Amino acid sequence: MAQNDPADRRIWDSVDEQLSRGGEAVDARLVGFVRWYQQRASELSSGDANDSSAESDLNRWIAIGSATVVLGLSTAGLPGDAIMKLITALVDVEEVQSTMLKSIDEKATRLLDGPLRTAQLLLREAQRTGPADPRYAAILQQAWERSFDAYGLADSPQSRAVVQMYLGQVSLLLNRREDAAHWLTESYRCAREAVDHMVAGSSDIRVLRSKWSTAASVLYYPVGAVVLARKLGKIHRAQQTQQETRTFVEFVNAVAAATNSLSSGPPVAGLIVEPRGHNVFVVRECRPGVRASGA
């Protein structure tokens, strides 16, 4: 997401306006999460130019989360800018998503080359025609149906989380908010389950309870260990391992942003990847608005 893109600025201005008008109806924790996510978008947009390719991958997930926040919080129809932003973001993330899934799910190819690919092509067609075209809703409905077909092929929590995200996002584009909230909540649940599988599938990861929140945990990944692609029998270089983790974490955060903007329940947590000492980085929960108690 370009740092100075006027369309992006308008989207976040719309978010600010909706949050300020929400008054007591808007949970303070939701406000905290949205502000935190907005700051992440800004930080990634102004990231290290020498790592532009990696940051671009993360920004593609940020773009999905950002556009969904606007649509999710909107109470007076779906803003046109955000509709096209979300469709474009879903189209643009295809390659990053494919690389991410193949690195952590060896069975993902049949999913990516089958109905999910068809759903993505239909989203491209919806992007081309636009909401004013009388065929637009039917094209989106077909994209939803092909995504549901893909759901039956998703064998891992990682793959299920991605497909459920599509079901939720396309439901939102069709203005089916309850369906969108259901599928995005399920996507977040599966995405967090996938993180747990990363831990259970490797003896090189230690799980520690964070001092600042009884509900939070910190996952320690020794750099260079077999983490995301352990089942493929490949040992990734430290930088690649960390980047794959960051990409999956940013996917989780995009789903968290979407879930929080639509769900009436307590906001779910985001995730942060941080360096901790020599050859160690951590993934920890972040609950904006919850004060640390000693971390």
Side-chain angles (χ1 to χ4, degrees):
M1 188 169 61
Q3 183 180 11
N4 298 314
D5 187 338
D8 291 328
R9 185 62 263 167
R10 286 196 300 273
I11 282 180
W12 284 117
D13 286 346
S14 176
V15 170
D16 292 339
E17 181 180 356
Q18 290 172 69
L19 289 176
S20 63
R21 289 187 310 187
E24 294 182 357
V26 178
D27 192 312
R29 292 168 297 179
L30 173 58
V31 175
F33 181 91
V34 171
R35 299 295 187 226
W36 170 79
Y37 197 69
Q38 182 177 8
Q39 182 62 32
R40 285 190 66 74
S42 176
E43 290 172 354
L44 286 176
S45 295
S46 58
D48 186 352
N50 295 325
D51 197 24
S52 58
S53 177
E55 298 303 333
S56 176
D57 289 353
L58 304 184
N59 281 328
R60 292 183 191 279
W61 290 118
I62 285 281
I64 290 177
S66 302
T68 313
V69 166
V70 178
L71 296 180
L73 293 177
S74 177
T75 57
L78 301 180
D81 277 358
I83 288 175
M84 294 312 298
K85 270 287 184 181
L86 179 54
I87 293 177
T88 299
L90 289 169
V91 168
D92 288 348
V93 84
E94 182 177 353
E95 183 177 349
V96 173
Q97 163 194 285
S98 177
T99 301
M100 179 185 78
L101 277 182
K102 287 178 180 178
S103 73
I104 57 181
D105 184 357
E106 59 186 343
K107 297 180 180 180
T109 300
R110 66 171 183 159
L111 180 72
L112 295 168
D113 294 342
L116 189 59
R117 171 63 175 159
T118 304
Q120 290 165 333
L121 290 173
L122 286 163
L123 284 171
R124 289 182 181 274
E125 185 64 6
Q127 179 189 36
R128 184 187 71 82
T129 60
D133 192 290
R135 300 167 294 174
Y136 171 78
I139 293 171
L140 285 180
Q141 179 60 33
Q142 291 179 60
W144 191 94
E145 291 169 0
R146 297 295 78 76
S147 297
F148 196 80
D149 290 342
Y151 188 43
L153 298 175
D155 294 328
S156 69
Q158 299 95 319
S159 293
R160 285 195 295 273
V162 169
V163 175
Q164 288 163 337
M165 181 202 71
Y166 274 92
L167 288 167
Q169 299 287 15
V170 178
S171 293
L172 180 57
L173 289 169
L174 288 165
N175 206 21
R176 300 172 185 167
R177 299 177 69 88
E178 290 186 5
D179 289 346
H182 165 76
W183 286 111
L184 289 167
T185 299
E186 286 298 295
S187 176
Y188 181 82
R189 182 185 63 79
C190 280
R192 293 304 304 266
E193 182 183 345
V195 174
D196 292 341
H197 278 215
M198 293 176 195
V199 176
S202 175
S203 60
D204 299 310
I205 306 173
R206 291 175 291 137
V207 183
L208 303 178
R209 286 291 171 184
S210 173
K211 296 179 181 179
W212 62 271
S213 171
T214 57
S217 63
V218 178
L219 317 179
Y220 279 75
Y221 294 78
V223 171
V226 183
V227 180
L228 297 180
R230 184 174 186 269
K231 293 182 179 180
L232 299 179
K234 297 179 180 179
I235 300 179
H236 295 280
R237 294 179 296 108
Q239 184 177 0
Q240 183 177 355
T241 302
Q242 184 171 359
Q243 182 54 36
E244 288 175 353
T245 305
R246 292 179 68 200
T247 300
F248 190 78
V249 160
E250 222 47 69
F251 161 71
V252 176
N253 287 337
V255 175
T259 301
N260 287 340
S261 66
L262 284 160
S263 175
S264 58
V268 299
L271 298 178
I272 298 176
V273 179
E274 297 178 338
R276 287 286 181 89
H278 181 61
N279 287 343
V280 173
F281 63 95
V282 302
V283 179
R284 69 171 175 84
E285 281 188 336
C286 179
R287 297 177 181 272
V290 179
R291 182 177 296 276
S293 61

